[in-house]
Amino acid sequence: MALLRFFHGTMGSGKSTQALQIHHNLSRRGQVGLLFTQLDRAGGVVSSRLGVRAEAIQVRPEMDLEQFVLDDMAVNGRRIDFVVCDEAQFYDAGQIEQLARLVDVHGVDIWAFGLLTSFQGVLFPGTARLLELADERQELQVEARCWCGARATHNARLVDGVQVYEGDLKVLGDTVTPQTEVQERLELAGPEVTYELLCRRHWTLGQAAAPAHDAAPDVAASPSPSPDPAGDPR
Ligand SMILES: [Zn+2]
């Protein structure tokens, strides 16, 4: 029986690597599958930080994923057994429902990978729908650590080194523009946007790096006089 599976983890938890591995393993068993992504680092391919990559179909906001897979079957005269979905947090809620219909109506296995929460600290819309609909949910356990040593659970967005809590979910915004062009434009004109994995405490405080030893304590930013790596349950 086909299933809708959702694997979630922080940045750097190996989601793309796992997505590529699943795609590879199932293909080797003779199954036919598609690889979906959105706004991947390299655009048009799924690539992992370990250097593995594969051709992928870019999911656009207006795309009907159920129809896309059915059209592929009709045009290519083949059955699609499974679809691996990388960066699934960026799909919209309707597209997650289309994936669920592929499972229920057409017997296609779905393997979705994505982030749980955004840099704003809330569930991505696609992720929320996946959590609501998935047959199986699993956290990818990678012991990512905040600079303080606590388990890193939150993604912080830094603009020119300063943590921000507001802004577009997708920093590249226009998903229709080829990503290479967008990147070139950003490199020419935009501020530098980076991401940092933090524990909840330092994500909340906006402390993306260890304070310098000689710096005066920032009373406004830190209500706690002695930062405790273990964290207290406030
Ligand atoms: Zn921390």
Side-chain angles (χ1 to χ4, degrees):
M1 205 176 80
L3 290 175
L4 173 55
R5 298 175 177 86
F6 179 45
F7 299 83
H8 56 88
T10 53
M11 287 177 161
S13 61
K15 292 185 298 300
S16 292
T17 305
Q18 288 253 11
L20 288 164
Q21 189 70 50
I22 295 273
H23 186 264
H24 176 75
N25 289 353
L26 294 177
S27 299
R28 270 187 52 183
R29 278 190 232 154
Q31 295 197 23
V32 180
L34 298 175
L35 184 56
F36 285 164
T37 191
Q38 198 185 38
L39 279 177
D40 186 63
R41 290 175 283 281
V45 300
V46 170
S47 59
S48 82
R49 288 181 175 81
L50 299 178
V52 191
R53 46 194 275 140
E55 292 297 321
I57 297 147
Q58 283 284 350
V59 171
R60 311 220 176 274
E62 71 282 3
M63 241 170 96
D64 182 324
L65 302 183
E66 181 187 18
Q67 198 56 48
F68 184 93
V69 172
L70 296 181
D71 288 349
D72 180 286
M73 292 196 209
V75 168
N76 295 306
R78 61 178 183 180
R79 178 174 160 71
I80 297 294
D81 301 302
F82 69 93
V83 178
V84 175
C85 302
D86 198 23
E87 308 283 0
Q89 73 275 4
F90 287 140
Y91 303 5
D92 62 41
Q95 288 171 327
I96 303 301
E97 289 160 15
Q98 290 153 16
L99 294 176
R101 273 201 300 278
L102 281 169
V103 174
D104 295 338
V105 180
H106 308 287
V108 178
D109 267 308
I110 304 293
W111 303 76
F113 295 81
L115 295 167
L116 210 54
T117 56
S118 71
F119 70 96
Q120 299 165 333
V122 295
L123 290 175
F124 283 93
T127 300
R129 203 74 188 112
L130 274 164
L131 288 172
E132 289 161 353
L133 294 181
D135 298 298
E136 292 178 6
R137 309 159 190 82
Q138 194 178 322
E139 181 170 16
L140 295 175
Q141 294 287 351
V142 165
E143 284 302 297
R145 295 280 157 183
C146 178
W147 56 264
C148 71
R151 193 164 115 81
T153 52
H154 283 58
N155 299 306
R157 178 186 289 176
L158 311 183
V159 176
D160 288 336
V162 177
Q163 187 178 341
V164 295
Y165 297 90
E166 288 177 5
D168 291 338
L169 274 184
K170 292 175 250 186
V171 72
L172 294 178
D174 182 6
T175 56
V176 178
T177 311
Q179 199 185 10
T180 46
E181 283 179 30
V182 180
Q183 272 171 342
E184 281 164 16
R185 261 198 345 247
L186 284 175
E187 278 161 23
L188 286 176
E192 190 196 14
V193 176
T194 55
Y195 290 87
E196 198 72 45
L197 278 171
L198 300 175
C199 67
R200 184 183 62 239
R201 161 187 273 211
H202 288 118
W203 180 87
T204 305
L205 292 173
Q207 292 179 352
H213 286 303
D214 55 352
D218 188 346
V219 179
S222 172
S224 170
S226 60
D228 172 13
D232 56 70
R234 269 177 301 141

